[in-house]
Amino acid sequence: MNGNKLLKLEVYYNAMMANLQNLLKITSSKNVLKAFLILVVGIILTLMYTWYTYFNIETRNKLEYNEICNDIKTKVELRLGAYAMVLRNGAAFIETVDTITREQWEKYNKKSYINKNLLGIQGVGFSLIIPKEQLKKNIAQIQSEGFPNYTVYPTGDRELYTSIIYIEPFTERNKRAFGYDVFSEPVRRKAMELARDSNTAILTGKLLLVQETAENVQAGTIMYMPVYKNGMPINNIGQRKVAVKGWVSSVYRMDDLMEGILGRRDLFQNNKIQLEIYDESVSENSLLYDSQKKDSLSHKDSKSRFVSLPLEFNGKKWILVFTQPEQQVVPFQGRVLIVFIGGVIISLLLFFLALSIFSTLSRAKIIAKELTKDIKESEERFKNMFNNHASIMLLIEPESGKIIGANNAASKFYEYTIEELC
């Protein structure tokens, strides 16, 4: 703001204060009190309506915010269900073919267009159960297929191995999982056993995937679906344990998964809504995903909008935590600010209008008193002049000719009292 604008504002302020002082001088203290009462009532009504407006806007914003959060939760649930269907189809394909080849698995996944229709999957694999006595045979067979470096790892003497023999797309990152004994890791094994016993798709807990490299490390999770031997009964848990031959699985790096589900939502960038996903419980160790990893927000701030939504998928619980920080929840902005400023201006205008009306009434009373006094004085002067004038003076009513007034000179001349003449 330059000097000229400041000077103009100072002039306007001085003029307003001078007018106010003049009005207060003229107006009685009782009327000034009435005017101030009008101002106070106006300010109170303004604050009440401002709060009412803020409350309505805040309520609407909270509803919209909750709708956004629930919409995101629904998208995640639907996508997990779609991934489960993909695995169910893959398991059915293997069970139907009975002995599936690498070429068939590759062709099946390419024809499914999984990476185009369901973004976010790192890879879709098949883990085969290998009894201890068949381990060497399995390694020799797959090496003969053109993979001389294939082996089942981690090494060690175990009664049962579950090697990842197929994984698509067969990229450099996914090759790191080729030959991995999934049963050797407790978190994966727990999910695989639950999937086997329930014949449903089961998610693991939080994992560090074997596909991870030193760069851009992400939390991971894997979904498993059991594959049973063709023709064997699977009506109960005991039968399923006997019939199982392996598992199809889909691998997810959580950042890539959520980007595949939600896309690059402006919601997270422009409005600064933070989405965190936790495995089972809210803790630093169970954090699967954070949309604001580089600019984390604290959902512990009481002034932030905070929504926590549980997501259940076949016994696996994720907790989706949504946070909108304090700077996005500002009471006096937009329409609320307009209502407040407008109400204050109207209250001040009513105050000055009341002062002006009261001062005008005060001036009118003063003028009326002065006019009444002048009239009385004028009448008194006329009466004295009429009574004491040397000439004979009579006041006669034109219509009746009756004398209605006489001065002292007339009384002397006609030798009647004034009362007798009138």
Side-chain angles (χ1 to χ4, degrees):
M1 188 176 289
N2 56 38
N4 290 333
K5 289 184 178 179
L6 288 173
L7 182 60
K8 287 181 180 180
L9 287 175
E10 185 178 358
V11 170
Y12 291 148
Y13 175 76
N14 292 335
M16 183 181 70
M17 294 306 297
N19 289 331
L20 179 59
Q21 289 176 358
N22 291 332
L23 289 174
L24 292 174
K25 286 179 182 179
I26 297 171
T27 310
S28 66
S29 58
K30 184 178 180 180
N31 288 334
V32 170
L33 185 60
K34 289 180 181 179
F36 272 109
L37 183 61
I38 291 172
L39 176 61
V40 171
V41 171
I43 294 296
I44 292 174
L45 291 175
T46 295
L47 291 175
M48 290 175 64
Y49 190 66
T50 300
W51 174 252
Y52 174 77
T53 303
Y54 167 70
F55 179 78
N56 280 349
I57 293 174
E58 185 66 9
T59 300
R60 184 188 64 194
N61 289 342
K62 284 181 179 179
L63 289 174
E64 291 178 353
Y65 180 67
N66 288 336
E67 286 178 4
I68 290 172
C69 297
N70 280 287
D71 178 61
I72 291 174
K73 175 189 172 183
T74 301
K75 286 181 182 293
V76 176
E77 286 178 324
L78 291 175
R79 184 57 66 88
L80 291 177
Y83 292 149
M85 185 59 68
V86 168
L87 294 186
R88 177 69 72 183
N89 292 337
F93 174 65
I94 295 175
E95 290 175 10
T96 302
V97 177
D98 196 26
T99 303
I100 188 172
T101 65
R102 187 177 310 280
E103 290 73 20
Q104 288 173 322
W105 183 248
E106 179 183 3
K107 186 176 182 181
Y108 169 78
N109 280 278
K110 284 183 177 179
K111 290 294 183 180
S112 298
Y113 297 102
I114 294 172
N115 289 331
K116 291 183 179 180
N117 298 325
L118 296 173
L119 301 177
I121 298 179
Q122 174 62 35
V124 180
F126 173 57
S127 303
L128 178 67
I129 294 176
I130 307 170
K132 179 180 178 180
E133 61 273 12
Q134 295 182 16
L135 180 61
K136 290 183 179 179
K137 179 181 177 182
N138 171 266
I139 294 173
Q141 179 184 341
I142 293 181
Q143 286 180 348
S144 68
E145 293 175 0
F147 302 98
N149 295 324
Y150 169 81
T151 188
V152 177
Y153 74 98
T155 58
D157 186 20
R158 296 183 287 278
E159 291 300 318
L160 199 68
Y161 300 84
T162 55
S163 173
I164 299 175
I165 61 171
Y166 304 144
I167 185 166
E168 293 294 332
F170 201 56
T171 60
E172 287 300 319
R173 186 182 287 273
N174 282 335
K175 286 178 182 179
R176 297 169 64 89
F178 187 42
Y180 180 66
D181 179 8
V182 193
F183 247 36
S184 66
E185 196 280 314
V187 176
R188 292 172 173 84
R189 180 166 184 159
K190 179 181 177 181
M192 294 168 76
E193 289 175 339
L194 287 172
R196 174 199 65 195
D197 295 345
S198 61
N199 191 19
T200 56
I202 298 294
L203 279 168
T204 69
K206 180 180 178 181
L207 292 170
L208 179 64
L209 301 174
V210 294
Q211 284 94 330
E212 288 297 338
T213 61
E215 297 180 358
N216 188 27
V217 178
Q218 300 178 19
T221 187
I222 304 172
M223 185 183 293
Y224 288 103
M225 177 70 75
V227 178
Y228 301 103
K229 295 172 185 176
N230 192 11
M232 292 191 68
I234 52 173
N235 298 318
N236 54 54
I237 294 177
Q239 291 177 345
R240 291 167 190 160
K241 286 182 178 180
V242 174
V244 69
K245 66 182 291 185
W247 290 263
V248 289
S249 61
S250 52
V251 181
Y252 314 106
R253 302 173 78 222
M254 285 301 296
D255 291 0
D256 297 342
L257 171 66
M258 295 310 297
E259 184 177 325
I261 295 174
L262 303 176
R264 297 183 178 275
R265 292 181 68 100
D266 292 338
L267 170 71
F268 299 137
Q269 297 176 1
N270 297 336
N271 296 333
K272 291 293 183 183
I273 293 179
Q274 180 185 22
L275 168 61
E276 297 166 298
I277 300 178
Y278 295 89
D279 178 31
E280 297 293 343
S281 62
V282 178
S283 68
E284 185 176 351
N285 292 332
S286 63
L287 180 63
L288 289 167
Y289 171 75
D290 184 355
S291 66
Q292 303 288 343
K293 187 180 293 184
K294 296 181 180 179
D295 184 24
S296 291
L297 311 170
S298 175
H299 60 72
K300 297 179 181 178
D301 185 353
S302 60
K303 295 183 180 179
S304 300
R305 288 198 184 100
F306 167 69
V307 174
S308 178
L309 299 176
L311 187 154
E312 298 278 349
F313 178 79
N314 293 346
K316 167 56 63 178
K317 181 182 178 183
W318 282 357
I319 301 173
L320 278 59
V321 177
F322 299 87
T323 309
Q324 188 176 40
E326 180 182 3
Q327 58 265 32
Q328 296 297 324
V329 190
V330 182
F332 285 97
Q333 62 177 352
R335 184 181 168 190
V336 178
L337 187 61
I338 292 172
V339 169
F340 177 73
I341 293 175
V344 170
I345 291 173
I346 291 172
S347 299
L348 289 172
L349 289 175
L350 288 174
F351 168 70
F352 282 108
L353 179 61
L355 274 182
S356 178
I357 291 172
F358 289 144
S359 66
T360 301
L361 291 175
S362 297
R363 285 197 189 98
K365 287 180 180 179
I366 293 171
I367 292 172
K369 286 180 180 180
E370 291 177 352
L371 287 175
T372 302
K373 183 180 178 182
D374 290 344
I375 290 171
K376 287 181 178 180
E377 290 177 354
S378 179
E379 287 179 348
E380 195 64 32
R381 286 195 302 271
F382 176 78
K383 185 177 180 181
N384 290 332
M385 181 193 71
F386 178 77
N387 288 332
N388 298 319
H389 201 280
S391 301
I392 298 170
M393 300 184 73
L394 296 173
L395 294 176
I396 300 173
E397 191 176 65
E399 294 180 0
S400 62
K402 183 180 178 180
I403 297 172
I404 59 174
N407 64 356
N408 293 328
S411 176
K412 288 180 181 182
F413 179 77
Y414 291 110
E415 296 181 353
Y416 287 102
T417 63
I418 293 175
E419 287 75 12
E420 289 176 336
L421 287 174
C422 299

